[in-house]
Amino acid sequence: MARPDKAAAVAELADQFRSSNAAVLTEYRGLTVTQLKTLRRSLGENAQYAVVKNTLTKIAANEAGINTLDDLFAGPTAVAFITGDPVESAKGLRDFAKENPNLIIKGGVLDGKALSADEIKKLADLESREVLLAKLAGAMKGKQSQTASLFKALPSKFVRTAEALRAKQAEQGGAE
């Protein structure tokens, strides 16, 4: 029979897996408490970084319907539960890992899809959601102005063509 404190820990971890958009597993062996605090700050406001027990976390992930992480629960493991924009937190992890080689990104899950460590690094290379939305809005506005210019040019071109045709007809009529 499971102890109540372990059952509560599994339930809490399962809730975190369910409520997160993404979860990234890391190995933190060799990092100091100060470095871990710095890492937590670098992840942003929408992420929670927790050192976890492998067995309990594996059970919690399976309860949450995530079976793809089972192989990653080996060695000292910590999980970054991301509730907001995963790009911001992935950048924080990548940048911290560059400065502190003891942090190893093992892999993770994004919206139910398993991610390898390389895929998480590619995710970190993306621009943030706000930047991508701004670029999309700018592109849409650009297309709208091109369309407006086209519609504005059609009547004026028609008038110039009609005027040229009238002038040519007047020229030909006056030449006879």
Side-chain angles (χ1 to χ4, degrees):
M1 190 77 178
R3 291 193 343 220
D5 57 336
K6 288 186 179 184
V10 168
E12 182 181 340
L13 288 168
D15 286 343
Q16 285 182 311
F17 274 113
R18 286 187 200 103
S19 64
S20 299
N21 297 342
V24 179
L25 276 68
T26 63
E27 183 176 320
Y28 64 93
R29 186 186 333 238
L31 294 177
T32 65
V33 173
T34 307
Q35 289 173 323
L36 287 174
K37 283 182 183 178
T38 305
L39 173 59
R40 285 184 175 100
R41 274 187 251 118
S42 71
L43 292 178
E45 297 175 6
N46 298 325
Q48 181 184 2
Y49 190 74
V51 174
V52 295
K53 292 187 179 254
N54 288 333
T55 307
L56 299 179
T57 309
K58 185 176 180 180
I59 293 167
N62 288 330
E63 282 184 14
I66 301 170
N67 304 336
T68 56
L69 302 176
D70 289 352
D71 297 339
L72 302 178
F73 292 112
T77 303
V79 182
F81 293 104
I82 304 164
T83 55
D85 185 13
V87 174
E88 178 186 351
S89 298
K91 284 181 184 190
L93 283 168
R94 178 200 60 196
D95 295 344
F96 187 86
K98 282 181 184 177
E99 295 172 14
N100 301 283
N102 287 336
L103 180 76
I104 299 169
I105 299 172
K106 294 180 179 183
V109 63
L110 174 65
D111 293 329
K113 181 189 176 287
L115 297 176
S116 68
D118 290 335
E119 290 172 323
I120 292 170
K121 289 175 185 167
K122 287 178 186 175
L123 180 67
D125 292 336
L126 290 176
E127 292 174 335
S128 70
R129 183 176 189 273
E130 290 78 21
V131 171
L132 292 174
L133 288 174
K135 284 185 176 184
L136 177 63
M140 290 173 65
K141 183 179 180 198
K143 291 296 179 188
Q144 287 175 344
S145 8
Q146 286 177 346
T147 304
S149 298
L150 176 67
F151 287 137
K152 183 179 175 185
L154 285 175
S156 62
K157 188 173 181 180
F158 174 74
V159 169
R160 285 193 305 270
T161 305
E163 184 60 32
L165 182 60
R166 187 190 62 74
K168 186 176 180 182
Q169 288 176 346
E171 218 178 81
Q172 287 177 353
E176 288 179 14

